[in-house]
């Protein structure tokens, strides 16, 4: 089944009003009519600015997090419905940096995915193992456990999510899984999705471990790699555009 690839840029905690505008203008000047879906995920405080900059363009708006709650006394949280108000189409949930630094559990991530789906926002569910877990042969166990929590809570709606495999040992380290290593984990995730939903082949599985302009084409050529969740390279317009081109 042929589906459009998805290239998502995770800006992490980077940017300012001037830099964001310059980056988006450079992206829009070079993107044309992309043959894949493209989304950028700025820090939440810049969502309104990006909504304006991206209006009418082929680039969709995403965010890096969403609350587990719908509303109420949760100081500092932002709900999925609030994000929907600003035209947000995608929300990254369960990024390894949040699992590590904010102690987000598999259950937290599953609830966030559910909140996003209920608001009509597509969750990009991140799964991945640490270097120690890989060296101990636990890769498959870890990623299946992380995805199972989301499948368990979201049931048939699982076919509406995006999954991103991001080996923690390859994020921001310059190390990248080989195309074969990445593909083998993507195949495991695909099989898990097929066991859970009849529409598993609709689910796009992105690779998110230091994909860049140099290695994107080789990674994206793998049969179960449906796009990329891009970190550092998403902050450089020429690099991000080259990755978008590789996804065509």
């Amino acid at each position: 089944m042929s589906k459009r690839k998805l290239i998502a840029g995770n800006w992490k905690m980077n940017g300012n009003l001037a830099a964001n505008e310059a980056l988006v203008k450079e992206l829009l000047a070079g993107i044309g009519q992309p043959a894949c879906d493209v989304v950028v995920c700025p820090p939440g405080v810049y969502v309104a600015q990006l909504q304006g900059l991206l209006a009418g363009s082929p680039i969709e708006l995403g965010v890096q997090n969403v609350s587990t709650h719908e509303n109420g006394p949760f100081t500092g949280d932002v709900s999925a419905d609030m994000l929907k108000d600003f035209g947000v189409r995608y929300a990254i949930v369960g990024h390894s940096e949040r699992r590590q630094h904010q102690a987000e559990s598999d259950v937290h991530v599953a609830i966030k995915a559910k909140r996003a789906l209920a608001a009509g926002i597509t969750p990009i569910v991140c799964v991945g193992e640490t270097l120690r877990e890989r060296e101990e042969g636990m890769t498959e166990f870890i990623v299946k456990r992380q995805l199972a929590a989301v499948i368990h809570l979201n049931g048939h709606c699982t076919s509406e999510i995006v999954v991103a495999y991001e080996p923690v040992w390859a994020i921001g380290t310059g190390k990248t899984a080989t195309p074969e290593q990445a593909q083998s984990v993507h195949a495991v995730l695909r099989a898990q999705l097929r066991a859970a939903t009849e529409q598993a082949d609709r689910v796009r599985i992105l690779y998110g471990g230091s994909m860049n302009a140099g290695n994107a084409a080789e990674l994206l050529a793998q049969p179960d790699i449906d796009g990329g969740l891009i970190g550092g390279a998403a902050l450089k317009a020429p690099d991000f555009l080259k990755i978008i081109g590789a996804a065509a």
Side-chain angles (χ1 to χ4, degrees):
M1 173 181 163
S2 174
K3 51 183 172 282
R4 277 168 71 91
K5 286 188 161 34
L6 172 64
I7 301 298
N10 176 11
W11 292 6
K12 306 194 180 184
M13 198 170 70
N14 295 291
N16 56 55
L17 289 170
N20 298 347
E21 184 171 2
L23 176 56
V24 169
K25 283 185 171 172
E26 197 175 344
L27 289 173
L28 293 180
I31 198 167
Q33 285 298 322
C36 63
D37 292 336
V38 181
V39 57
V40 293
C41 302
V45 70
Y46 295 121
V47 161
Q49 180 199 18
L50 268 286
Q51 182 188 23
L53 290 171
L54 297 175
S57 85
I59 301 179
E60 295 188 296
L61 179 56
V63 288
Q64 300 172 20
N65 188 33
V66 63
S67 178
T68 54
H69 304 286
E70 292 183 71
N71 55 48
F74 302 104
T75 302
D77 272 20
V78 178
S79 76
D81 284 338
M82 294 171 184
L83 296 168
K84 187 71 177 172
D85 254 355
F86 288 90
V88 169
R89 294 287 308 278
Y90 293 87
I92 299 170
V93 297
H95 192 281
S96 62
E97 288 159 2
R98 293 199 61 83
R99 291 180 189 262
Q100 178 186 349
H101 302 305
Q102 273 79 23
E104 287 191 7
S105 70
D106 294 348
V107 173
H108 282 128
V109 176
I111 295 170
K112 288 181 177 197
K114 185 168 183 146
R115 293 288 184 229
L117 287 167
I121 294 171
T122 301
I124 300 175
V125 177
C126 298
V127 300
E129 82 284 12
T130 64
L131 184 59
R132 183 180 65 82
E133 288 163 347
R134 171 164 278 270
E135 287 173 344
E136 291 177 0
M138 293 175 66
T139 296
E140 191 169 322
F141 170 80
I142 295 293
V143 298
K144 288 176 76 171
R145 187 202 75 205
Q146 290 171 335
L147 183 56
V150 175
I151 292 170
H152 177 71
L153 191 64
N154 290 282
H156 67 275
C157 294
T158 299
S159 64
E160 304 297 323
I161 72 173
V162 171
V163 177
Y165 169 56
E166 33 149 51
V168 181
W169 49 272
I171 297 171
T173 60
K175 290 181 184 172
T176 315
T178 65
E180 295 74 25
Q181 284 175 321
Q183 166 58 27
S184 71
V185 178
H186 280 238
V188 165
L189 295 168
R190 180 81 65 207
Q192 184 179 7
L193 288 163
R194 282 186 180 139
T197 172
E198 292 175 6
Q199 295 178 300
D201 289 346
R202 287 179 51 184
V203 179
R204 291 182 285 191
I205 309 177
L206 315 182
Y207 176 72
S210 295
M211 184 183 282
N212 57 49
N215 62 26
E218 198 179 1
L219 286 160
L220 291 167
Q222 300 302 309
D224 287 302
I225 298 184
D226 304 315
L229 179 58
I230 316 301
L235 298 169
K236 303 172 191 144
D239 291 15
F240 196 53
L241 290 167
K242 190 167 180 189
I243 295 167
I244 292 166

